[in-house]
Amino acid sequence: MKNTIKMLLFAVTFLCSAIAMAQSTVTGTVLDPETNYPLPGVNILEAETTNGISTDFDGKFSITTKSQETKIIISYVGYLSQEFSITGSKDLGTITLSPSEFGLQEVKIIASVAVDRKTPVAVSTVRAADIELKLGTQEFPEVLKSTPGVYATKTGGGFGDAEIRLRGFNSENVAVMINGVPVNDMENGRVFWSNWAGLGDVTSSMQVQRGLGAAKVAVPSVGGTINILTKTTDIEEGGNVYTTLANDGYEKYGVTYSTGLMENGFAATVSAAKTDGNGYVDGTEFNSVNYFLNLSKQINENHKMSFTAFGAKQSHGQRQNRQLIETFNKSERGRKFNADWGFKNGQVTFQEDNFYHKPQISLNHYWDISENTSLSTAAYASFGSGGGGGFRGVNKFGIDSDGTSEYRTGLYGPIDFDKIAAENEALGANGSETILRASRNNHNWYGVLSTLKTDITEDLVFLGGLDYRYYKGIHFQEVTDLLGGQYYGEADFDVNNPLGITQVGDKINFHNEGLVGWLGLFAQAEYDINDNFNAFVSIAASNTSYKRIDFFNKLDSDPLQETDRFNFFGYSAKGGANYRLDDNNNVFMNIGYFEKAADFDAVFQNFTNDNINEDAENEKIFSAELGYGFRGEKFSANVNLYRTAWRDRNETVSFQQPDETRATANILGVNAIHQGIEVDFVYKPTSKLDITGMVSLGDWRWENNLEDVQIFDEEQNLVDTVDIFIEDLHVGDAAQTTMALGVNYKLANKTRFTVDYNYFANLYARFDPSDRGAPAPDAWEVPDYGIFDTAVSHGFKFGSFDAKLTGRINNIFDTEYIADALDGADSNAKTALVYYGFGRTFSVGMKINF
């Protein structure tokens, strides 16, 4: 018996020893090739096994292999994979990954991409893999909703109608750049995400720089900068086909192919996709075709050329008008209710819709002048065509308080366009009483952005360059549907056509052009000592010029039909420093001041060429930020304190009037303070589990009251002049408190599962300027809400191809919440006009790589 036990013990000991001898420990550190900084989250996999881990926050890894002789594969999104043959335990030392996209590093220079623990700004980066996993059928900006300081909504819920606010600032004051090229409208600063439908398909990474950010060019980064880098072209040949199906008839099909970098130095990538659906909200059917093309050429060792073209042609119905909470509750459609659509001849017809096509084209040249000096230049052009629909004439689209209307089918029902058409037809020679029209906002935009980078010493880098832009905006309304009538007539809206008899396609109401010129120069010095201390100083100066041509309010013979060109000088100065206390801790600070030229509407205040405000005040912004970062083996965190003071702020605010028409207020000279604290963290308790979280606490308030604010109706007539009492009231339209908690678990090497919880509070309704004519309390505070989202992706073999299935559910528990509100007369829930957020939605997608 004793001998048997001894033999069993010997066998067990021998077996354990054999297993131990068969195993090896492989270690190493993975670095970014451009910055030489650690790359956290890099995938380390033992070939032909499910044995894998990720690098920690210092780029380090240690993996115990299952075999002594094996292969280790190191991979990371945006970089070429590397493979190492291993025999026994081994330290691979420092491993530098190469970009998987040709020309991507040069684009990063133009785009002013911030580097973690080096660039002294508050920054969050979302990479292509996470965008693919989490986007689903969400609007593109919603991918950022777990980022500190961000509040993104679908507004009315139409395809591409999303809006994003950063630290309480709306899109006019958040710079959005695609490959370093600013895309904010040059007249009003707005960003229309529907112009970029499909951008998620071709985004390599998206970075949010909160506050003044690292951008060298003078951009409206009061709240921050959203820096989007699209794909350039893949170094390796390959492609994919993909499809997504989702709720409410959503269907998407797409294909991408890359030639890879060929022996002659040429590479090409092409991508296209088609998207259709009915929309979650009633009457928001949509269709979109998006495309992307990149052609690159390595001319010689010193010169690269890259041509990129992308865009999306889309059209969609909209829910433009908010409603009372009571209206949504009484409607059978609930939060899906939309008053802005109906039927004509049995076909869905939109009272409000949007259609646009904005191709963006750029030609980039990268020149390595010497070992220490390079020049990166992007020449670009954009041609926008399209606009938004609405009605003209008698408003027959309202709903009575009991939900009835003679022009609707049933209680809170869709619009009966056939009844309106019958009435117009009966008017005969008197023309249509009510028509559908489109407000067009076409534009031609050209620009050149050039950046010179030179290493003055080993520690000191200089960057400088120019930013030139020319913009021509073409604005008019046109008749799109006479709704059964013979013509539409309206006297005096066109002084050059006093009869005003129009047919479909004719211009009505207004027709003007806005010409905007921009010339900017910038310079920046970056100082870097032993990777422990980094500092930068940046200055920029720009001249903005405006000119307006009015074809409707001025006779062709009137010299005032075309104004002079008015110039406004702006400048910025900012600097910051980052100090790495040790391998785990760093602190940073930045400070900046800039003067931003008044926008187009602040100069031409009443939408005419008369009473021009040629001495419009520059907006003045001062911002300061202090930050701390911690990077440990399993835990990393950031803490940021910020304060932004805004003087002589000017805005054009559009709001809905009680009769459901829209009005606009020019608000000039208002001051505001935006301050707060932001905390975000990542915890990796195991190589398979990531836990992320953030808390953002803001205090955003108006500083002063205003006098003589002018309000205009849809016909651009001055209808009222009011005083606004807003001193010390909260800035509305964005949740001032946000929190997020996320779990990302690797069920297997190619299988990921995520759950995200987002919480929003202290959301105050936008105010109607005409309701602030006397001291009053804060606008209505929308109820707090939180929503859960989840996603899972699974990679597998589909024949000889690699494939991936991705499923996503947004708002898992079908939480009912108000995402957007316009304050009512009594600043309460009863009088507020609101948009509800979406209920539960889902999507399932498949991608096959070849």
Side-chain angles (χ1 to χ4, degrees):
M1 183 68 179
K2 290 182 178 179
N3 289 334
T4 303
I5 293 174
K6 287 180 180 180
M7 292 181 64
L8 286 173
L9 290 173
F10 175 78
V12 170
T13 303
F14 178 81
L15 182 60
C16 292
S17 300
I19 292 173
M21 291 177 63
Q23 293 178 334
S24 302
T25 300
V26 181
T27 60
T29 302
V30 184
L31 302 180
D32 182 279
E34 180 187 11
T35 64
N36 227 29
Y37 271 65
L39 275 177
V42 176
N43 296 313
I44 314 296
L45 176 68
E46 184 178 0
E48 298 181 358
T49 73
T50 58
N51 181 29
I53 61 169
S54 300
T55 56
D56 64 20
F57 295 109
D58 291 320
K60 299 181 183 296
F61 68 89
S62 177
I63 183 172
T64 301
T65 65
K66 294 185 176 181
S67 304
Q68 273 205 318
E69 291 190 9
T70 187
K71 291 181 179 180
I72 296 296
I73 301 171
I74 300 177
S75 62
Y76 193 56
V77 175
Y79 295 85
L80 294 174
S81 299
Q82 290 193 31
E83 187 174 293
F84 296 88
S85 296
I86 302 297
T87 301
S89 296
K90 187 173 184 180
D91 182 3
L92 296 177
T94 298
I95 302 161
T96 302
L97 296 182
S98 300
S100 63
E101 295 181 41
F102 182 76
L104 182 60
Q105 300 306 310
E106 289 82 359
V107 171
K108 287 182 177 180
I109 295 175
I110 296 178
S112 306
V113 173
V115 179
D116 182 46
R117 301 192 72 192
K118 179 178 180 180
T119 311
V121 299
V123 62
S124 302
T125 302
V126 182
R127 300 188 179 274
D130 290 320
I131 293 173
E132 181 179 338
L133 176 65
K134 296 189 175 185
L135 182 59
T137 59
Q138 294 187 101
E139 296 292 327
F140 190 58
E142 291 185 281
V143 173
L144 301 173
K145 65 186 179 185
S146 295
T147 302
V150 168
Y151 187 66
T153 74
K154 296 180 175 68
T155 61
F159 179 77
D161 287 345
E163 290 189 3
I164 190 168
R165 295 163 187 84
L166 191 48
R167 289 183 173 174
F169 297 102
N170 57 18
S171 65
E172 288 93 328
N173 304 295
V174 174
V176 177
M177 299 193 297
I178 301 177
N179 297 331
V181 174
V183 298
N184 296 74
D185 188 284
M186 289 193 65
E187 290 181 274
N188 57 37
R190 293 191 64 187
V191 176
F192 301 93
W193 292 99
S194 58
N195 297 348
W196 312 106
L199 191 60
D201 297 339
V202 296
T203 295
S204 176
S205 67
M206 179 162 51
Q207 187 177 85
V208 179
Q209 300 174 11
R210 303 187 294 281
L212 296 181
K216 297 175 286 292
V217 298
V219 288
S221 53
V222 184
T225 302
I226 299 175
N227 212 341
I228 300 167
L229 296 185
T230 67
K231 289 175 60 67
T232 49
T233 191
D234 295 320
I235 291 176
E236 296 182 329
E237 182 183 6
N240 58 70
V241 293
Y242 56 93
T243 183
T244 300
L245 303 176
N247 54 279
D248 299 291
Y250 182 101
E251 296 181 353
K252 182 174 185 177
Y253 304 94
V255 60
T256 298
Y257 174 70
S258 297
T259 65
L261 185 59
M262 297 187 282
E263 292 183 1
N264 61 2
F266 176 80
T269 294
V270 60
S271 177
K274 188 176 188 302
T275 310
D276 300 278
N278 299 323
Y280 177 84
V281 173
D282 293 343
T284 56
E285 287 82 351
F286 60 89
N287 62 79
S288 171
V289 175
N290 56 281
Y291 52 88
F292 172 86
L293 171 69
N294 180 271
L295 307 174
S296 298
K297 172 70 175 177
Q298 179 82 54
I299 299 173
N300 53 42
E301 289 185 358
N302 298 322
H303 294 273
K304 292 180 184 178
M305 297 288 290
S306 178
F307 172 82
T308 303
F310 62 94
K313 185 176 183 180
Q314 62 81 30
S315 63
H316 66 275
Q318 292 184 298
R319 178 168 61 180
Q320 190 83 333
N321 293 298
R322 297 172 179 82
Q323 302 293 333
L324 296 170
I325 295 173
E326 180 184 25
T327 299
F328 286 105
N329 290 338
K330 288 183 176 180
S331 167
E332 291 183 357
R333 300 299 297 161
R335 55 191 153 180
K336 292 190 172 190
F337 173 72
N338 178 15
D340 300 331
W341 72 287
F343 291 98
K344 179 187 175 188
N345 296 327
Q347 300 296 315
V348 170
T349 302
F350 307 119
Q351 181 212 326
E352 302 279 358
D353 65 346
N354 177 273
F355 54 97
Y356 216 81
H357 185 205
K358 180 184 169 70
Q360 177 129 338
I361 304 167
S362 65
L363 180 64
N364 290 22
H365 175 234
Y366 312 117
W367 178 18
D368 290 329
I369 300 173
S370 68
E371 185 178 349
N372 297 323
T373 304
S374 63
L375 181 68
S376 301
T377 302
Y380 60 90
S382 178
F383 308 99
S385 177
F391 75 93
R392 185 81 174 157
V394 178
N395 183 4
K396 299 181 179 181
F397 305 107
I399 303 176
D400 294 335
S401 58
D402 62 357
T404 62
S405 168
E406 62 177 306
Y407 298 103
R408 291 185 180 269
T409 304
L411 294 177
Y412 300 103
I415 299 166
D416 184 355
F417 284 101
D418 292 329
K419 180 176 176 60
I420 297 173
E423 291 181 352
N424 284 338
E425 187 175 357
L427 290 170
N430 291 321
S432 292
E433 191 174 45
T434 302
I435 64 164
L436 296 180
R437 53 82 182 159
S439 295
R440 300 292 297 260
N441 185 26
N442 302 343
H443 71 253
N444 300 321
W445 185 346
Y446 309 93
V448 176
L449 180 60
S450 187
T451 302
L452 178 74
K453 179 179 180 289
T454 183
D455 297 333
I456 298 175
T457 68
E458 190 174 314
D459 301 324
L460 183 62
V461 177
F462 171 81
L463 298 100
L466 64 86
D467 173 19
Y468 168 76
R469 310 173 212 170
Y470 169 80
Y471 178 96
K472 178 180 180 179
I474 305 159
H475 318 293
F476 58 88
Q477 275 189 4
E478 65 178 357
V479 179
T480 56
D481 193 332
L482 291 170
L483 293 178
Q486 297 181 15
Y487 66 90
Y488 180 66
E490 193 171 78
D492 300 330
F493 60 61
D494 182 0
V495 297
N496 291 298
N497 179 21
L499 292 179
I501 304 301
T502 56
Q503 299 289 332
V504 171
D506 290 341
K507 295 179 176 64
I508 58 172
N509 197 18
F510 62 85
H511 179 202
N512 58 74
E513 294 180 354
L515 307 179
V516 183
W518 175 287
L519 179 61
L521 299 173
F522 56 88
Q524 181 166 304
E526 299 177 355
Y527 192 53
D528 188 348
I529 301 178
N530 298 325
D531 291 334
N532 289 327
F533 180 77
N534 312 96
F536 81 95
V537 176
S538 177
I539 58 173
S542 61
N543 183 76
T544 305
S545 64
Y546 298 128
K547 184 176 185 176
R548 190 175 188 274
I549 305 172
D550 196 326
F551 300 105
F552 266 33
N553 292 315
K554 298 294 180 183
L555 292 167
D556 293 338
S557 58
D558 191 335
L560 289 179
Q561 186 181 70
E562 183 172 340
T563 71
D564 295 331
R565 189 173 286 273
F566 301 96
N567 294 281
F568 299 87
F569 179 75
Y571 64 92
S572 67
K574 57 186 178 182
N578 179 81
Y579 181 58
R580 296 181 66 176
L581 302 171
D582 52 36
D583 289 342
N584 302 114
N585 300 276
N586 72 287
V587 292
F588 77 85
M589 61 84 64
N590 64 60
I591 191 169
Y593 176 83
F594 71 94
E595 294 202 3
K596 172 187 170 187
D599 63 25
F600 193 90
D601 290 339
V603 178
F604 303 100
Q605 293 184 53
N606 59 347
F607 305 102
T608 72
N609 291 356
D610 302 310
N611 305 316
I612 297 170
N613 184 18
E614 56 185 282
D615 296 319
E617 285 280 345
N618 279 359
E619 300 184 31
K620 304 168 183 67
I621 297 95
F622 173 81
S623 183
E625 186 161 8
L626 182 65
Y628 164 76
F630 174 82
R631 299 293 182 273
E633 182 180 349
K634 294 186 176 183
F635 181 78
S636 75
N638 301 289
V639 181
N640 303 298
L641 298 169
Y642 67 90
R643 179 181 171 89
T644 301
W646 194 346
R647 302 289 180 267
D648 294 319
R649 175 176 179 173
N650 61 78
E651 286 191 358
T652 301
V653 177
S654 178
F655 59 94
Q656 181 180 333
Q657 298 187 101
D659 66 355
E660 295 190 2
T661 61
R662 304 194 70 76
T664 303
N666 276 337
I667 302 176
L668 307 179
V670 65
N671 301 330
I673 294 290
H674 291 237
Q675 58 190 355
I677 181 171
E678 300 164 341
V679 180
D680 64 276
F681 70 87
V682 179
Y683 176 50
K684 297 175 177 288
T686 72
S687 61
K688 297 181 181 297
L689 177 63
D690 294 354
I691 300 173
T692 61
M694 73 87 181
V695 176
S696 180
L697 306 174
D699 182 20
W700 314 324
R701 296 175 184 265
W702 304 106
E703 270 200 308
N704 62 304
N705 298 322
L706 298 170
E707 297 180 353
D708 300 327
V709 174
Q710 296 179 325
I711 297 176
F712 301 88
D713 62 16
E714 287 183 319
E715 284 72 45
Q716 301 171 1
N717 298 313
L718 180 65
V719 295
D720 201 0
T721 300
V722 300
D723 296 336
I724 301 180
F725 293 85
I726 57 174
E727 183 177 350
D728 204 38
L729 300 185
H730 287 92
V731 173
D733 224 19
Q736 302 205 16
T737 297
T738 61
M739 302 180 189
L741 186 65
V743 175
N744 187 333
Y745 185 68
K746 287 186 178 180
L747 298 171
N749 182 56
K750 294 185 178 181
T751 304
R752 293 175 64 190
F753 171 73
T754 68
V755 176
D756 294 295
Y757 174 71
N758 287 273
Y759 173 79
F760 306 95
N762 302 122
L763 169 60
Y764 295 88
R766 294 174 61 187
F767 65 85
D768 176 341
S770 63
D771 286 340
R772 292 289 167 179
D778 261 324
W780 176 56
E781 186 176 353
V782 176
D784 305 347
Y785 68 94
I787 52 177
F788 284 88
D789 301 326
T790 187
V792 61
S793 67
H794 174 64
F796 61 98
K797 280 291 185 180
F798 187 78
S800 60
F801 303 110
D802 290 326
K804 180 188 289 186
L805 276 173
T806 301
R808 181 162 183 83
I809 301 176
N810 296 106
N811 193 358
I812 299 171
F813 299 110
D814 203 26
T815 300
E816 187 172 280
Y817 64 95
I818 293 168
D820 185 292
L822 178 66
D823 203 32
D826 299 318
S827 297
N828 59 32
K830 186 175 181 179
T831 58
L833 296 170
V834 306
Y835 289 138
Y836 274 90
F838 282 18
R840 184 188 299 112
T841 58
F842 69 89
S843 64
V844 179
M846 182 173 179
K847 176 183 284 188
I848 300 175
N849 298 305
F850 57 86

